[in-house]
Amino acid sequence: LGMFDNGVVLSFFLQQIENDQKTERKFRVKLRYFGNDWLFIQPGESLIIMLDDDKEKLIKLVTINNTQPTRETTGAQYLGCQEIAYYDISLDQLKSIAKSDNIKFKILGSSYFQTALFTKKNKSEFMDFYKYVIMNETRVIESKKIKKNDKLGAKRDKRRR
């Protein structure tokens, strides 16, 4: 998902992370900032997502293990500064974003911040990810739970007879 504002490009990539224990599903945000000057994205809590203009509905994300985001200058064709930061995001947080109509981002730098707004196209792309990756996987997991519960229920019924 790409967002553009005042010559700044913010890219918001979502990915599902493989989990060794397979106990819960994990998701990650890769945030890419590209602009004419350094933002100096801070390690720690540096990405804030506001949902539906409600200050009570803030999602505050922390860089993974409080790591320092990477910084580099880009090639001659695209002269500028690029910073990349990674954040874990929960399934509940993704569901909250999916239910919201108005989604704003605030990325905190060392001396200023950058804001962006999800466009209709951004929301549509997010919903594609949500429907085809998140919801499909959730349905499969719930379906397996139902089948497992049905088998247990059938065994219990046989024992009672």
Side-chain angles (χ1 to χ4, degrees), residues 129-142:
F129 177 85
Y130 184 79
K131 288 176 190 171
Y132 298 111
V133 175
I134 297 172
M135 292 309 294
N136 277 342
E137 188 72 23
T138 302
R139 285 188 192 116
V140 169
I141 291 168
E142 287 174 358

Side-chain angles (χ1 to χ4, degrees), residues 64-146:
I64 295 172
N65 299 324
N66 285 317
T67 55
Q68 183 72 38
T70 61
R71 296 183 180 89
E72 62 185 48
T73 54
T74 57
Q77 184 180 5
Y78 304 104
L79 224 45
C81 305
Q82 174 177 271
E83 298 181 44
I84 297 173
Y86 294 90
Y87 304 87
D88 285 329
I89 189 166
S90 72
L91 182 58
D92 287 339
Q93 290 168 326
L94 290 169
K95 286 178 181 179
S96 295
I97 293 171
K99 292 176 186 175
S100 299
D101 294 320
N102 186 350
I103 303 155
K104 294 179 182 175
F105 294 87
K106 185 177 194 178
I107 300 96
L108 304 177
S110 62
S111 55
Y112 70 98
F113 59 88
Q114 181 67 47
T115 59
L117 178 67
F118 250 20
T119 64
K120 287 183 181 183
K121 182 181 180 203
N122 296 143
K123 177 67 182 219
S124 174
E125 291 171 351
F126 173 84
M127 291 307 295
D128 286 345
F129 177 85
Y130 184 79
K131 288 176 190 171
Y132 298 111
V133 175
I134 297 172
M135 292 309 294
N136 277 342
E137 188 72 23
T138 302
R139 285 188 192 116
V140 169
I141 291 168
E142 287 174 358
S143 171
K144 287 179 182 176
K145 285 181 184 175
I146 290 169

Side-chain angles (χ1 to χ4, degrees), residues 17-79:
I17 303 301
E18 291 297 321
N19 185 354
D20 294 338
Q21 291 83 25
K22 306 225 185 263
T23 54
E24 65 178 271
R25 297 170 62 209
K26 293 192 174 204
F27 299 93
R28 182 159 293 159
V29 172
K30 175 184 175 184
L31 178 73
R32 180 179 165 265
Y33 162 88
F34 178 80
N36 294 327
D37 199 2
W38 295 111
L39 179 60
F40 292 106
I41 298 172
Q42 296 299 292
E45 187 178 284
S46 55
L47 175 58
I48 300 170
I49 305 169
M50 183 187 287
L51 307 175
D52 296 324
D53 293 321
D54 186 346
K55 292 187 181 190
E56 299 297 316
K57 290 184 179 180
L58 291 179
I59 297 172
K60 297 179 180 182
L61 299 180
V62 175
T63 55
I64 295 172
N65 299 324
N66 285 317
T67 55
Q68 183 72 38
T70 61
R71 296 183 180 89
E72 62 185 48
T73 54
T74 57
Q77 184 180 5
Y78 304 104
L79 224 45

